[in-house]
Amino acid sequence: MMVILTMTVLGASAQSKAEAYFSFRELPNMLKWCPAPPDTVGAAFAYDIMQYMWGKQMRQDKERAEIAIRDAVYSLECIMQEFSEPLGLKMSEEETPEIFKLLRDAKATCENISGFPKYYYKRKRPFIRFNEPTATPEFEPELRRNYSYPSGHTILGWCSALLLTEINPERADTILKRGMMYGESRVIVGAHWQSDVDAGRLAAAAAYARMHTSERFLEQMQLARQEFRIKTGLVTPDELKAFRKAAKNRAKTKK
């Protein structure tokens, strides 16, 4: 518990503006509903090994390997960069502040759901078990200091895909495909087992569902959707007027 609280404090200092929609105590407890990582003698672990070998083979595909290496950068900037094309709109803190705020606070929520199971199971990452290098050696010292199950990158990537699909449902297929690739990238670079990725997607779905019970989230999602419509020319004059009025009221409230 102290480890999780310490992580939360450190995360808050590094991302001081982020406000998670729910604390780890308020989110579904993965230990009560998500399967434990597979043991080392069963068929599930054999599949993990097979997928690890598949990941190593995929590194031979230069284009896919480059994507996986880009996905290894755990940051909101990476998410916005990689998902801008699937979404159909370039995202950034400056150009799409409402979408940025939604993703920023969702990222903090995702981090809250993953910390406890990681330190409960303390699962070794595949590159450590096999004593082999990853495709991202610069991140190995950091990866050695934390654990494998579930995949935090996958939680962030899949949750972001779900959120962006809600913002632009017309591009759902493209966005979700990129979200799946984001998780696969963790296997390709050798940082995670397949079962870590699978659990990460389950955790992301649970966090995504829980966020929809937050009034603050629902309001921010509406703002993000409106912003998307404005930026892509889909908004009507009346909608634009209402959006600007709401933004003006929010600015007054902050003062």
Side-chain angles (χ1 to χ4, degrees), residues 4 11-12 37 50 55 60-62 65 80 92 98 104 126 130 140-142 157 159 196 202 224 229-230 236 243:
I4 295 170
M50 290 173 61
Q60 305 306 311
D61 181 332
K62 183 178 179 181
M80 291 189 293
S92 71
E98 301 298 348
R104 181 198 65 193
F130 289 108
E140 288 179 20
E142 179 183 352
C159 189
D196 301 337
L202 289 174
R229 287 173 59 80
I230 291 170
T236 66
F243 179 82

Side-chain angles (χ1 to χ4, degrees), residues 156-204:
L156 176 60
W158 190 239
C159 189
S160 297
L162 294 173
L163 293 169
L164 295 174
T165 295
E166 190 169 347
I167 291 173
N168 185 13
E170 297 300 319
R171 298 290 294 271
D173 292 345
T174 304
I175 296 168
L176 293 173
K177 180 178 180 180
R178 185 64 182 91
M180 290 294 288
M181 288 178 65
Y182 198 88
E184 289 175 349
S185 291
R186 304 308 290 155
V187 177
I188 292 172
V189 299
H192 280 286
W193 305 99
Q194 182 64 50
S195 55
D196 301 337
V197 172
D198 295 341
R201 291 181 183 133
L202 289 174

Side-chain angles (χ1 to χ4, degrees), residues 224-237:
R225 286 172 61 89
Q226 288 174 333
E227 182 177 70
F228 175 82
R229 287 173 59 80
I230 291 170
K231 292 287 186 177
T232 54
L234 298 174
V235 71
T236 66

Side-chain angles (χ1 to χ4, degrees), residues 18-59:
E19 297 180 50
Y21 293 107
F22 293 101
S23 69
F24 76 92
R25 294 180 184 276
E26 297 170 318
L27 289 163
N29 183 348
M30 291 185 68
L31 301 186
K32 295 183 178 180
W33 56 269
C34 190
D39 58 40
T40 57
V41 295
F45 187 66
Y47 181 66
D48 268 347
I49 295 175
M50 290 173 61
Q51 285 299 99
Y52 174 74
M53 299 304 176
W54 167 82
K56 290 172 65 176
Q57 290 179 345
M58 289 300 294
R59 296 180 205 173

